[in-house]
Amino acid sequence: MATIPGTTRTALQSFQALRRLHNNPGAHTGRNQLAVLLSRPYTPARRFLHNGRPQNAQSEAAKNNSSNPALSFPCLDAQDAKSALLSARSLESGPEPSYTTGHHEQYRCKEPLLLDWGGVLPEFDIAYESWGQLNPEKSNAILLHTGLSASSHAHSTDANPKPGWWEKFIGPGKPLDTDKYFIICTNVIGGCYGSTGPSSVDPSDGKRYATRFPILTIEDMVRAQFRLLDGLGVHKLYASVGSSMGGMQSLAAGVLFPERIGKIVSISGCARSHPYSIAMRHTQRQVLMMDPKWARGFYYDSIPPHSGMKLAREIATVTYRSGPEWEMRFGRKRADPSKQPALCPDFLIETYLDHAGEKFCLEYDPNSLLYVSKAMDLFDLGHAHQTDTKKRRADYEANLALGNDTVNTDVTCSLTLPEKPYEEQPSVTASTPAMDQSLSGASSPDAPPQDLVAGMTGLKNHPVLVMGVASDILFPAWQQREIAQTLRAAGNEKVQHIELGEDVSMFGHDTFLLDLKNIGGAVEKFLS
């Protein structure tokens, strides 16, 4: 084992025990064992103050003079031990995982891809997998869009038998019936499961993009997907299907390429991102970027910001499920009621979140989380937003035509924090319509915004299935109702809207991953 300064063998053994327990499906019940293993003292490197006295000596003196013993923090010891283990690993093979889920197909596009905010990918890769057979007319293809952190591995294959993230929904006789349809699923650009993203190598200099990667939009992801379809000779999709961020992509595909899509399915998505979901993704990005190991995104030759990623995933997990479900699963139970309460994970719900964050923190590239989640925040199918984007793209294309390699001339971010903190302005906010109200002065308060109606008019002739879940707090059910109402206001008479009440599902946003009967059944019926 490599020698790791400032770290005891006990700490490494504690981390290895932690990793074994987290990889164990019964990890919740193993917390008592974990508490014992990590209760052993962890001795970090001795740090000296400016006067030469060991800082640990001062701390020890304070502990000994206190009227109460100091608390132990096994959760922090485990993070330190993980950093130490990753440091040792970097001496051997580098700390970065492969970020793949096994075998997938690779499509390389040699043509430049102009992005909505002025960046350019000179060339790019799209990782994809497929199931079923493309018919001679090439008319039975379904493009399946993923959520934020999913790979192209939606279902097992002969080359990769690992179960996919929508395993039960794809196959012969399943909602996405491989006896009828040719299913294609991609890892989005910006991701880290084989498609070009921040961890990829920039062909211009042979170094990883890191945070030199350009800002992305959902529409950029869709344009890249359609380059793949061009390469496969698929000129029109039978359907575009997606959930969560995939539901956003599915609608965007219809708006961008209305003539190339038949049916559209959007599950637990939205037509534009709203403040609550933006706020939640903001907090995830902030805790990740505040991890010193993030290093402004240039961490690929060092220790990845695993602590920030862990916390970001814990915040995300809070939004993926629902309070009623957790009440039933965990209640107010503590992992070990016989022990003193701790500031580290103590309640069962805390250990659940801790496990979710620990399991994920080295499975996904932190920079991809930043870029892809920001693309979700920028999503808006309103007419004004589309008009501004088209104008901006036209300016960039004109720049390209003049031979400029960098079409985004504003390469330096000029954003500064406001001089004064935000202050509530009751007189303004009281007269400003909420985002889910009409801006047209229509008599009905439930009428969709006219800007959004104008932006989605291109979908008025498409059969569209919109599904939502009442227990979803990340993409609340009113956002799916907004999609359906907007499409109907745009003249679409082929909209089906289904909302699952809490009596049907308490799984919150994750319902689309779990409910084969209600989600899968509705999709199967709509596609047939």
Side-chain angles (χ1 to χ4, degrees):
M1 179 179 292
T3 300
I4 305 163
T7 305
T8 65
R9 181 176 295 273
T10 300
L12 282 179
Q13 291 170 340
S14 297
F15 170 69
Q16 289 162 353
L18 172 70
R19 182 170 58 182
R20 287 196 299 272
L21 285 173
H22 278 306
N23 290 334
N24 184 347
H28 299 317
T29 59
R31 290 288 162 172
N32 294 346
Q33 304 172 44
L34 180 60
V36 173
L37 288 166
L38 293 184
S39 64
R40 300 168 182 166
Y42 167 63
T43 307
R46 289 161 62 89
R47 292 176 293 170
F48 287 80
L49 301 176
H50 63 277
N51 60 7
R53 183 182 180 185
Q55 188 176 18
N56 287 350
Q58 281 193 341
S59 301
E60 288 301 324
K63 291 178 185 177
N64 294 334
N65 294 333
S66 173
S67 57
N68 296 289
L71 295 176
S72 61
F73 294 93
C75 53
L76 301 185
D77 293 345
Q79 291 302 297
D80 290 340
K82 175 178 280 187
S83 290
L85 189 67
L86 290 170
S87 179
R89 179 174 155 197
S90 68
L91 297 176
E92 300 168 3
S93 61
E96 286 298 294
S98 63
Y99 296 128
T100 64
T101 53
H103 177 80
H104 56 258
E105 301 298 324
Q106 199 86 7
Y107 172 74
R108 169 156 293 185
C109 182
K110 295 286 189 178
E111 296 297 319
L113 181 67
L114 173 65
L115 306 179
D116 281 342
W117 282 99
V120 174
L121 295 180
E123 59 184 50
F124 62 93
D125 292 332
I126 290 285
Y128 73 98
E129 295 178 52
S130 61
W131 305 267
Q133 296 294 324
L134 188 63
N135 63 20
E137 298 78 23
K138 297 186 177 182
S139 61
N140 67 332
I142 293 178
L143 181 58
L144 176 61
H145 306 273
T146 72
L148 187 156
S149 58
S151 71
S152 60
H153 194 60
H155 188 272
S156 55
T157 63
D158 291 339
N160 184 4
K162 179 181 177 180
W165 56 266
W166 237 27
E167 185 75 17
K168 295 180 180 179
F169 291 74
I170 301 172
K174 300 291 180 65
L176 297 188
D177 192 341
T178 51
D179 287 338
K180 297 180 180 178
Y181 312 118
F182 177 61
I183 317 299
I184 308 164
C185 184
T186 81
N187 177 222
V188 297
I189 57 167
C192 55
Y193 291 119
S195 293
T196 296
S199 60
S200 302
V201 172
D202 183 345
S204 66
D205 63 3
K207 298 179 181 179
R208 295 191 195 242
Y209 280 107
T211 45
R212 301 181 302 164
F213 198 77
I215 290 293
L216 286 170
T217 67
I218 296 294
E219 288 84 352
D220 291 329
M221 299 173 184
V222 171
R223 290 188 186 95
Q225 290 172 327
F226 273 73
R227 294 278 187 92
L228 164 65
L229 295 180
D230 292 340
L232 296 176
V234 176
H235 302 298
K236 183 170 183 178
L237 293 168
Y238 180 80
S240 174
V241 177
S243 305
S244 188
M245 185 183 82
M248 301 157 77
Q249 293 176 71
S250 191
L251 291 173
V255 170
L256 288 174
F257 304 100
E259 73 287 350
R260 297 188 63 176
I261 293 178
K263 298 182 177 184
I264 295 173
V265 177
S266 180
I267 306 167
S268 297
C270 63
R272 53 191 175 147
S273 285
H274 292 268
Y276 175 80
S277 59
I278 293 174
M280 296 310 296
R281 288 187 289 267
H282 160 77
T283 58
Q284 295 169 49
R285 289 194 296 270
Q286 286 289 288
V287 298
L288 171 52
M289 293 164 67
M290 295 299 177
D291 186 329
K293 293 181 179 63
W294 181 60
R296 305 296 175 101
F298 292 88
Y299 51 80
Y300 292 111
D301 295 322
S302 185
I303 301 171
H306 59 90
S307 294
M309 275 294 279
K310 176 181 178 178
L311 293 174
R313 186 61 170 189
E314 290 190 36
I315 295 170
T317 303
V318 170
T319 70
Y320 293 159
R321 295 298 181 93
S322 76
E325 181 206 356
W326 285 348
E327 186 69 38
M328 291 182 62
R329 289 178 64 184
F330 308 116
R332 289 183 42 78
K333 294 178 182 177
R334 292 174 58 216
D336 188 350
S338 67
K339 298 281 183 67
Q340 279 278 86
L343 297 180
C344 282
D346 182 28
F347 284 92
L348 285 184
I349 181 59
E350 294 177 308
T351 65
Y352 170 81
L353 293 174
D354 184 69
H355 172 65
E358 191 68 45
K359 183 176 181 295
F360 182 77
C361 68
L362 290 176
E363 290 184 353
Y364 194 74
D365 181 28
N367 281 337
S368 285
L369 177 65
L370 298 176
Y371 277 88
V372 177
S373 68
K374 190 64 179 183
M376 295 176 72
D377 292 353
L378 295 170
F379 185 60
D380 183 356
L381 291 180
H383 181 265
H385 183 78
Q386 291 188 51
T387 300
D388 289 345
T389 300
K390 288 177 181 176
K391 182 181 184 305
R392 193 167 57 246
R393 288 184 64 87
D395 292 341
Y396 294 146
E397 288 171 350
N399 233 352
L400 277 178
L402 294 174
N404 295 335
D405 293 333
T406 304
V407 295
N408 187 355
T409 54
D410 185 21
V411 294
T412 303
C413 178
S414 60
L415 178 65
T416 57
L417 294 176
E419 294 182 1
K420 296 182 179 179
Y422 173 78
E423 296 179 0
E424 293 287 353
Q425 302 176 23
S427 61
V428 175
T429 56
S431 61
T432 302
M435 289 190 73
D436 57 332
Q437 294 179 341
S438 171
L439 300 179
S440 66
S443 57
S444 172
D446 295 328
Q450 286 302 303
D451 176 65
L452 199 58
V453 173
M456 298 180 70
T457 301
L459 300 181
K460 66 180 180 180
N461 296 319
H462 292 72
V464 181
L465 171 64
V466 182
M467 298 193 70
V469 181
S471 59
D472 189 343
I473 64 172
L474 183 59
F475 287 80
W478 68 261
Q479 295 184 10
Q480 292 84 57
R481 289 196 294 271
E482 178 181 72
I483 297 172
Q485 292 167 356
T486 298
L487 289 171
R488 287 169 181 149
N492 192 319
E493 298 179 356
K494 303 175 183 178
V495 179
Q496 296 182 37
H497 174 233
I498 298 174
E499 183 175 317
L500 304 183
E502 291 190 10
D503 58 324
V504 176
S505 175
M506 290 193 300
F507 291 120
H509 188 63
D510 274 356
T511 297
F512 74 87
L513 293 169
L514 304 169
D515 194 336
L516 178 62
K517 177 183 176 183
N518 295 293
I519 298 292
V523 171
E524 181 178 11
K525 183 178 179 181
F526 175 76
L527 292 177
S528 63

